Every structure is written in structure tokens, then in C-alpha cells.
Amino acid sequence: MTKPTFSLLTGDSGPVQAGPESGVVRIPLRGHSTKTIKKKEAVNPGTLVAGHPGPSVGDAHSPVRGVVTDINDFEIVITAGTPRPTPGRPAEPGAPDVEPVSLDGLSRDDLKKALKGLGVSPSAFLKAPTLIVNGLNPEPGTGVAEVLLAQCKATLEKGLSVAQRLVEPATVLLAVPAGSSATLAACTAKPVAPVYPNSLDPLVVKALTGKESMGGVTVVSVMDLYGLGRVAETGLPLTETVLTVGGKALVVKVGTPLADVLELAGIAPAPGDRVVAGGPLRGQAVAALDRGVAKGDYALTVVPEAAFPPVTDKACINCGECALVCPSRILPGFVSRFVEFKMFDKAKDYHIEACMECGLCGYVCTARRPLLQFIRLGKQTLELQASALTACRLQGE
Amino acid sequence: MAKEATAPTLYTVAAPPHWHCGRTVTGVMQQYILALVPAAVMAVVYYGLPALRVMALSCATAVAVEALCCRVMDRESSVDDFHAVLVGLLLAFLLPAMAPWWLVVMGSALAIIIGKMFFGGLGGNPLCPAVVGWAIVALSWKTQADPDAMVLSTMLVNPLTQLKYLGLEAAGQVSLTDMLLGRQLGGLGATQVLALFAGGFYLISRGLLRCYVPLAFLAGVLLAGLAFSLADPGAQPGPLFHLFTGSVVLAAFFLATDPSSSPVTRPGMVAFGLTAGVMTVLIRVYGIYPDGTPFAVLFAALFTPVFDLLRPKPFGAR
Ligand code: SF4
Ligand code: SF4
């Protein structure tokens, strides 16, 4: 394998293609209710299968016609099959399976509610004076943003107009890779050097506003806008995501097993390889290929086992490479050692919370330590400690 | 297909990042050793087989002692990362070519035991192991560890001792070119100035060595040397004399840069290098040792925790 490149330009990914049609879809749940639907119930595209109790997380809907065959805490499994007439709705040829919802004319609060019901999480669109559309590809080798900006401009603009109603910004900026001529209506395009980690939200904000703070700024990705735009266009629930795999851009139904997506892309991972939902620096490696594509997945990456040295549990040799590369300007070597030896307070003194999880420290680590894993563990432990403390205080009152 | 049903394919699950730059401890150590080969060859050219004997003995002892330490400490052997070989080689570079075998064995063993394993191995050592080993034997057996006393059958002279005991004029008999080419008496590898420069720049060009410590070290030596020669041109040599003598170049590229005992931030590395460089000249001018370089490295390393405080504010901090 050649040395990885950190350029965020991927060149031509070709036209956006339709993803695979799967016999079984597995819709991942993230705290969604498992009581919305029962086993053996028939579903149509757009049928609500799992509501979310919180107001800020979008509900989950079936992307296919079929029957619910399994429900557990992590996923709802639907076996696709022949359409069944929906109770109370005589099957009219060509009629949509669910009633489209128009977003026009809704007040901000009603719009939020409607979007949640259509599977879009309104929490991504907080009110702020500045709205930044992050038009950079999220990670190296992940061309989805480039493709959407080039090919789905109308949908993005529709999404943007809805986003503006939620964010109510005074300024709307579009971060594009330097040299790109991509634009969106109502946005001022601003160039950003297309090199990872410049695509991370905090760094985009810094490049566009000069401030190292997300205060007063809402950043949305073009992938978010695309989802919003699809919902606005169709009035139907969001049940798809656009992702890049093997250099192609696919519109994939949520819940499609990764195995089917890889097959369509012509990639056959070998035992021991890493199959990553997401990009090579921030994505999540999966254990099994029957996991369903989640809403918001923007890439599927396969990393061959032999391509890189394996992770070790070796001690930090204090070479400092991680500190030199860290965009958050912390000392990942120090912080990871503090976490390793359970000195969480020290980790906090060394600003563990400033880490923006770019993954570069682990990329350069000479001792091949799982640095980001240590850092996430440290952050999580500190959060738990803080919330336990708050709970105690509340009890004391 | 039937096979799949019985044995599901296992994929590697690990935290991101899923890419790696490919630089590993073992790879880096091998490259460092490679970078020292030119100097080792030059040492054999000037001192013959005795130099080879010292280097081989030192490396072998270091590896054996580290293997033994790992055994005693009941942990997986770490000798396969080649760090012990590097420590052994660096120690040999500081010793005279005619050093007695027991001195070499002592130095190498102490470098590994006290310099490295005592603190838990590579990464834990607060000082450069090779320098620790050298310092102990050099202080304990002054004569046997002193190139001037041990290497008698040679035409080479040590410009530093000439300067110390006979004055600037005597030191002047070794030209800068001779010094660069290693035609000066000293540690068997430490004096191969040109070869060490070549090795150091090779590592920097391969991205295996950051230039901050070496360049700051050399700058510190040059600046301090310049200051003294301007203040007292009759008694003090020029800055290049300091740069090309003793173990300055070895220390700048290979001793002070020991990862574990040097700082990790850019400003820290620069301050560390400058301190060690300036200290080198101060010890030479005011100290009792003709060459103070290894001691200057130890001195600067003591302050590494302080230099590490020189770090930028984290992203978003006011
Ligand atoms: S992942 Fe590592 S390099 Fe990236 S911001 Fe966090 S600590 Fe720094
Ligand atoms: S890159 Fe790895 S070995 Fe080097 S200082 Fe950072 S954590 Fe330690």
C-alpha cells in the first residue's frame, strides 16, 4: 500500500448511484423505542418503526416493504417481501405509502416537530447568528461532500432553506475546498485548504471566522443538508444516506447490511481486515458485515490487515510526534499515559477535553499506541465523574 | 458457503485511526543504527580492529543484559526492538578504542540497567542511557575511559586536551578539516564528525529525527563558542572548534535526541537543545573536563520536565 495521503480532494467519484436492494434490512437504533412496532407487523417504505423519546433525535422509519422479523435494543430487522395492503389504505397504484408532510409555512417549533417525525434530528440545527455549511469531504478518500455539491445542488439548496428557518442566521457561509467553484444560493463561499484535518468543524470555524470557538456558530455538513433537502422535496421520512465506498458515491437505504454495500462496490474484505463505517481516521470498525448502514454514515472503508503495523500495548517512548501533529495543541502522549494509569485529574489538567478526535496522534504514534482510544476513555470517565458529582449535589439539596 | 455458516469471518475491530504512518519503534531504531554505520566504519579506519572489538562487545553486552533484565523483571523481552543495540553502539562511540574489555562490559551493562531498565524500559528513562553508562565508568575509572591515556599508539591528538593543558596554539595544530574527517583523538565514534553529520541529516531527511533538538544544540554551541572567542580571542578558539571537537555532533544528533529524556513540544525542544549546547561550552571553559558534552546532555535532561511546560495553549483556550 502506498503512503496514505491526507488530501481531501478525491477527484471524480462518478454520478451518485443507487445502493443495493437487500432482502433483509437492519435499522440501527440509538436509544429509540422498541415498542413502536411489533414483530410480524407489515411495513411499507416510510412506516414509523421506532420513535425516539427525546425531542431532538429523529424517529426511525422502514426504507422497504416487508415484515418485521426481529426487534432488539440495537436494531429492528425487516425482511423485505411482497407488499401487503396497509390496513385502511386500499392500495392505489402509484400512491405513496405514507401521507407526505409539507414543511411550508410551519412555525419554527412545528417545523422541528415535523422534522423529528420525518427522521431528521433537529439538534443539528441549533439557533445561531452564523450558519456554516461544511462543504469539505469529511476524511481522506471520502468524496461524498464533493459529489453532493457538484451533483445535488438543488436538493442542498432546498435543505439549506429549511435549515435557515431553524438556525435563523444573519450570515450563511459555505466552506469549500480551495480551488473549487462550488456554490449554494444564499451562501458566501469561503475556501479552506483541502487537507485533513481541516474538514473538522472546529477547524472550519477557525478558518472561516478566525475564532477558536464554536460559540454563536452552527455548522452543518452537506450530508445533513442533503437529508434535509430530500425530506423537504418529498415530504416523506428520511430513510437513506449517501456514502462513498471504493471511490463510488451511493445512495444507500438505512439498514442495508454492509455486506451488500461492499458487494455492490466490488470489495471483498478478507479475514483480519478492518471494515470501517466511516473514514480511515475517525470511522468505527465493525465486527460483522450484517450490521445495517446507519443514518449519517458517510463512508465505508476497508483497511487491509497487512497495510499497517498492528496496534500494541507498548509504553509511550515520549518521541513527541503526537504533540507535533495535534491540531488541538495538547500532548496526546502525556494525556494517554495519565489515562492509562487512571490519573484522570491530571488528564484534565492537560486539557484532554480540547481534543477534537481527529485521530492523527494515533496515526503518527511510533509506539503504535491506541491514543484516541485512551483519550476517549479519559473523556468519558471524566464526564461520568462530573455527572455523578452533579447527581450527588442535587441529592444534597 | 457452508464454511461461512460454521465459522463466521472475523474482522479486526479497533479504535480509529485505521491508518498508520508505518513508523515503529523497531524501524526507527534500525534506521538510527544504520545512520551510525558510516561513523562506525570511519572508527575502524582510524583505530582498526580494537574499535570494532569495543563496538561489538558493547552491543552484545547491552542486548544480553537487557534480555536478562526482562527475565528478572518477568516481562516480555524487549530486545527485538533494537534499542539495546543502539545504546551499546552509542556507548562504544564515547569510549576509547583501546578501552579494556571489562570497562566496556561495565559501561554497557550499567547503561542498560541503571540508564534504562531501572526506570521500566524504553520510554521511562529520564536520562539518555548511553550517557549514563559512560558517565559512571568515566567517573569511576578515569584513566581507562580516557582516550588520551588509553590510545597511545597513535599520531592523533585530542584538540580539546591540547587546548585545556597547552593553550590555544597547541590546539591549533589540528585543522578544522582534520577534525571534520575524524583525524583527532577522542571517543572512537564521537570524533567522526562528518560521518555523524551525514547520519544525522539522513535521519532528518527521512523524517525519523526532528531537527529542533540537533539544530538548537549546535546553535547553542556556536553561540556560546562565539561569545567566548569574542570576549577573549587570545585564549579561546572559534565557535567551529567547539562544534567539531569532542562528542558535540554525536550528542546533538544522537544523544540529546533520546526521545524519552528530551521534551516533546517545539519550544521545549529548542530550549532544551540550546541549554545543552551552551552548557557544553561552559563546561569546557570553566569545568575540569576537556569535553563536557555528555555531562551537558545529562544536565539539560534533568530539566526536561520544566521544558515540557513550554507548551502552546490548547485549541480554544484563552
Ligand atoms: S485525536 Fe489526537 S491529535 Fe487529534 S485532536 Fe485529539 S489528541 Fe489531538
Ligand atoms: S507518538 Fe506515541 S510514542 Fe510518541 S510521544 Fe506520542 S504517544 Fe508517545
Side-chain angles (χ1 to χ4, degrees):
Chain A
M1 186 148 183
T2 49
K3 188 112 175 153
T5 142
F6 284 89
S7 166
L8 289 173
L9 299 176
T10 51
D12 192 13
S13 305
V16 181
Q17 298 168 22
E21 297 292 334
S22 300
V24 175
V25 297
R26 297 167 175 271
I27 302 169
L29 302 183
R30 288 178 181 160
H32 291 82
S33 158
T34 49
K35 303 272 182 291
T36 313
I37 205 161
K38 288 198 199 63
K39 258 194 196 178
K40 300 213 180 87
E41 259 185 78
V43 293
N44 286 315
T47 307
L48 178 70
V49 292
H52 196 283
S56 53
V57 181
D59 298 335
H61 305 79
S62 170
V64 293
R65 231 177 277 285
V67 179
V68 177
T69 42
D70 193 17
I71 300 176
N72 58 48
D73 285 346
F74 309 106
E75 56 186 14
I76 289 185
V77 185
I78 297 168
T79 303
T82 43
R84 298 194 177 192
T86 322
R89 272 179 65 90
E92 277 171 53
D97 299 290
V98 289
E99 204 56 58
V101 178
S102 167
L103 301 177
D104 297 337
L106 295 179
S107 71
R108 188 168 178 275
D109 284 337
D110 290 342
L111 182 59
K112 272 164 79 175
K113 262 188 221 126
L115 285 175
K116 177 192 155 54
L118 289 167
V120 177
S121 301
S123 58
F125 307 95
L126 291 180
K127 220 179 212 174
T130 308
L131 172 62
I132 292 180
V133 180
N134 185 348
L136 273 80
N137 287 327
E139 292 184 49
T142 302
V144 58
E146 228 174 324
V147 172
L148 288 177
L149 274 173
Q151 297 177 28
C152 308
K153 204 169 155 187
T155 311
L156 294 182
E157 282 170 353
K158 206 155 242 162
L160 183 58
S161 67
V162 180
Q164 277 174 297
R165 285 162 61 195
L166 291 168
V167 180
E168 299 181 352
T171 337
V172 187
L173 303 174
L174 170 67
V176 292
S180 149
S181 55
T183 51
L184 288 179
C187 282
T188 321
K190 298 257 185 177
V192 175
V195 181
Y196 191 78
N198 287 354
S199 53
L200 300 186
D201 289 352
L203 295 177
V204 167
V205 171
K206 167 136 196 230
L208 264 53
T209 68
K211 291 201 197 95
E212 293 192 349
S213 148
M214 304 279 277
V217 184
T218 286
V219 185
V220 300
S221 68
V222 289
M223 291 75 86
D224 290 340
L225 279 194
Y226 177 81
L228 202 55
R230 289 296 294 158
V231 168
E233 273 173 357
T234 59
L236 298 175
L238 181 64
T239 56
E240 64 186 30
T241 184
V242 183
L243 52 77
T244 21
V245 51
K248 292 193 189 94
L250 303 178
V251 185
V252 178
K253 290 183 177 137
V254 170
T256 307
L258 300 187
D260 295 357
V261 183
L262 288 173
E263 197 185 310
L264 187 83
I267 302 175
D273 290 356
R274 297 187 191 200
V275 179
V276 180
L281 291 152
R282 283 158 60 85
Q284 185 196 6
V286 301
L289 297 190
D290 60 358
R291 171 196 184 281
V293 167
K295 229 176 254 176
D297 280 354
Y298 54 70
L300 196 53
T301 311
V302 174
V303 181
E305 186 182 24
F308 303 106
V311 175
T312 71
D313 60 353
K314 291 224 179 85
C316 165
I317 64 164
N318 203 43
C319 65
E321 289 298 325
C322 53
L324 295 175
V325 79
C326 176
S328 300
R329 300 192 301 265
I330 63 173
L331 307 180
F334 278 44
V335 171
S336 72
R337 276 181 275 179
F338 292 139
V339 173
E340 193 175 4
F341 299 110
K342 301 207 165 54
M343 296 156 71
F344 297 107
D345 292 339
K346 281 292 261 183
K348 200 169 161 188
D349 290 347
Y350 276 73
H351 303 283
I352 186 172
E353 77 290 340
C355 165
M356 50 185 91
E357 309 209 350
C358 68
L360 287 175
C361 49
Y363 173 82
V364 298
C365 180
T366 312
R368 195 65 173 107
R369 285 158 61 80
L371 290 181
L372 185 50
Q373 196 171 3
F374 278 127
I375 289 171
R376 283 184 176 166
L377 172 67
K379 279 188 184 175
Q380 196 194 12
T381 313
L382 284 168
E383 260 165 41
L384 285 178
Q385 282 178 356
S387 63
L389 208 62
T390 330
C392 283
R393 287 220 184 93
L394 287 178
Q395 258 176 10
E397 271 165 21
Chain B
M1 283 292 109
K3 193 173 129 256
E4 263 176 36
T6 49
T9 319
L10 292 179
Y11 299 100
T12 303
V13 183
H18 307 289
W19 282 355
H20 186 259
C21 61
R23 177 183 45 230
T24 60
V25 176
T26 314
V28 170
M29 295 307 160
Q30 287 169 343
Q31 290 293 322
Y32 270 62
I33 293 166
L34 188 67
L36 289 174
V37 165
V41 170
M42 292 294 280
V44 177
V45 169
Y46 283 111
Y47 298 106
L49 281 183
L52 193 63
R53 179 196 62 119
V54 171
M55 290 188 279
L57 184 58
S58 181
C59 292
T61 311
V63 171
V65 169
E66 179 160 322
L68 206 67
C69 282
C70 291
R71 259 273 177 73
V72 172
M73 293 159 82
D74 194 19
R75 51 149 96 174
E76 205 184 323
S77 172
S78 53
V79 289
D80 58 353
D81 70 7
F82 284 83
H83 182 247
V85 180
L86 180 63
V87 171
L89 196 55
L90 287 173
L91 174 79
F93 273 24
L94 289 167
L95 294 176
M98 305 294 170
W101 67 267
W102 51 265
L103 185 92
V104 179
V105 170
M106 274 308 257
S108 183
L110 290 171
I112 293 292
I113 298 172
I114 299 188
K116 178 179 174 190
M117 299 312 281
F118 190 75
F119 299 99
L122 178 61
N125 48 300
L127 300 169
C128 174
V131 181
V132 171
W134 175 84
I136 299 176
V137 294
L139 294 177
S140 311
W141 296 282
K142 284 210 175 65
T143 317
Q144 286 86 342
D146 182 357
D148 294 318
M150 292 309 291
V151 192
L152 300 174
S153 59
T154 174
M155 298 301 290
L156 300 176
V157 293
N158 183 346
L160 282 169
T161 31
Q162 300 280 321
L163 174 69
K164 188 110 214 147
Y165 302 114
L166 302 172
L168 186 56
E169 209 170 311
Q173 35 172 301
V174 187
S175 72
L176 288 181
T177 323
D178 284 345
M179 293 179 191
L180 262 181
L181 293 175
R183 282 200 282 269
Q184 55 171 327
L185 190 56
L188 65 91
T191 44
Q192 314 306 333
V193 177
L194 203 59
L196 290 170
F197 264 121
F201 283 121
Y202 166 73
L203 290 179
I204 291 178
S205 71
R206 291 283 314 265
L208 297 166
L209 179 64
R210 292 282 182 172
C211 62
Y212 308 105
V213 170
L215 295 190
F217 192 119
L218 298 178
V221 170
L222 285 176
L223 288 176
L226 186 67
F228 278 106
S229 77
L230 288 180
D232 191 357
Q236 293 296 336
L240 284 178
F241 175 89
H242 285 293
L243 194 66
F244 294 161
T245 49
S247 40
V248 164
V249 177
L250 179 70
F253 288 100
F254 296 95
L255 300 177
T257 52
D258 167 56
S260 163
S261 55
S262 61
V264 297
T265 65
R266 272 188 203 90
M269 289 185 201
V270 172
F272 170 86
L274 283 174
T275 308
V278 171
M279 251 342 254
T280 300
V281 177
L282 286 181
I283 297 178
R284 285 181 177 183
V285 175
Y286 295 113
I288 54 165
Y289 297 98
D291 184 16
T293 318
F295 293 113
V297 171
L298 292 182
F299 173 85
L302 290 178
F303 292 95
T304 289
V306 182
F307 294 130
D308 267 334
L309 295 177
L310 293 175
R311 54 174 190 261
K313 285 206 173 90
F315 190 90
R318 264 174 295 258

